[in-house]
Amino acid sequence: MKRRLALLPALALLTGCPSFSTMGTARTMPKGKGQLFVAPGAMVLQDFQRDTTTGRSDSFGMPTVEFGGRYGVTDGAEVGAKVSLLGAELDTKFALRRSETADAGLDVALAPAVSIYPFRSGDTNATYAWVHLPLLLGVNVGGSQLVIGPRVSGMIIAGGGESVRALWLGGSLGFAWKVGDGFRLLPELSMAYPASVSIGSVSATNLEPRGALFQGSLGFLFGGD
């Protein structure tokens, strides 16, 4: 068990922690159009693991980089995915309101996503699963968009004798600046806080997320027009 617990910092940093970035707008891709993006940034996890020797909680910081894309299935629905140093995610987006033009008006969309990270090392065999439900609000300004994204996320860690469940509340704020046709810059700040954490009765893990997660990224978006 001590060996398994010693691996938890690596699990948290390399596999268990997802991206909370949106790296997109609240406006769904037009049917048949696609978009690719790359987004370097950084992440801070506060009080993410309890130090068994001192009883205090440890915090972590790390650089991040994400690669992803999306495709318009219809004018009101799109599918996408992204990968990073931390794992992978499949996402969707469904328009609840789509303004007549991208130059003005308000776009509103739901963007459900799921992340699954299996991990195996020695006698450790665990699965990290995340489900995200952001509500995206986009204010269009001359082809650019201010994007506000409140979200709720669920986390489950199971396997190897460990059992952790958490409900995270948070959101993101970004501005998709249209530099030119088919190219946008998207600086974005995201955060999430574990509103509820449950440790399984038979689990001996010292992974107890108690603090906020902060993420900052600068996205380079190609295509979509």
Side-chain angles (χ1 to χ4, degrees):
M1 177 60 72
K2 290 183 178 180
R3 179 185 178 187
R4 187 160 64 237
L5 294 180
L7 288 170
L8 282 172
L11 292 179
L13 296 179
L14 298 179
T15 59
C17 181
S19 166
F20 280 83
S21 71
T22 299
M23 278 304 116
T25 68
R27 188 173 183 83
T28 51
M29 290 286 102
K31 181 179 179 180
K33 295 287 186 177
Q35 185 178 71
L36 299 175
F37 68 84
V38 57
M43 180 179 291
V44 174
L45 296 86
Q46 293 186 331
D47 301 334
F48 206 76
Q49 178 176 327
R50 178 171 48 84
D51 189 323
T52 55
T53 59
T54 65
R56 298 188 304 178
S57 295
D58 293 331
S59 299
F60 306 96
M62 74 195 85
T64 63
V65 61
E66 300 176 322
F67 304 89
R70 51 185 61 93
Y71 178 80
V73 180
T74 69
D75 285 344
E78 69 179 43
V79 295
K82 64 182 178 181
V83 296
S84 69
L85 299 175
L86 305 174
E89 178 179 294
L90 297 176
D91 52 65
T92 58
K93 187 185 299 179
F94 302 97
L96 301 181
R97 173 189 171 91
R98 197 170 191 270
S99 62
E100 293 184 1
T101 173
D103 293 328
L106 177 68
D107 291 316
V108 182
L110 281 176
V114 61
S115 310
I116 299 178
Y117 311 115
F119 182 86
R120 291 176 176 82
S121 178
D123 61 352
T124 300
N125 184 352
T127 298
Y128 292 65
W130 291 78
V131 177
H132 307 282
L133 185 60
L135 174 65
L136 304 181
L137 309 173
V139 181
N140 296 303
V141 183
S144 301
Q145 189 180 87
L146 175 67
V147 189
I148 304 169
R151 71 166 60 203
V152 58
S153 299
M155 178 192 81
I156 298 177
I157 303 175
E162 314 298 352
S163 177
V164 181
R165 291 175 173 82
L167 180 68
W168 297 70
L169 301 178
S172 60
L173 177 65
F175 185 77
W177 175 35
K178 185 176 181 179
V179 180
D181 290 342
F183 179 58
R184 289 171 171 79
L185 288 177
L186 175 52
E188 184 179 67
L189 294 175
S190 309
M191 68 83 63
Y193 186 83
S196 174
V197 178
S198 174
I199 308 296
S201 59
V202 298
S203 177
T205 182
N206 59 350
L207 176 60
E208 297 182 17
R210 299 295 182 183
L213 180 154
F214 298 94
Q215 183 176 0
S217 304
L218 177 60
F220 300 82
L221 283 59
F222 305 92
D225 294 326

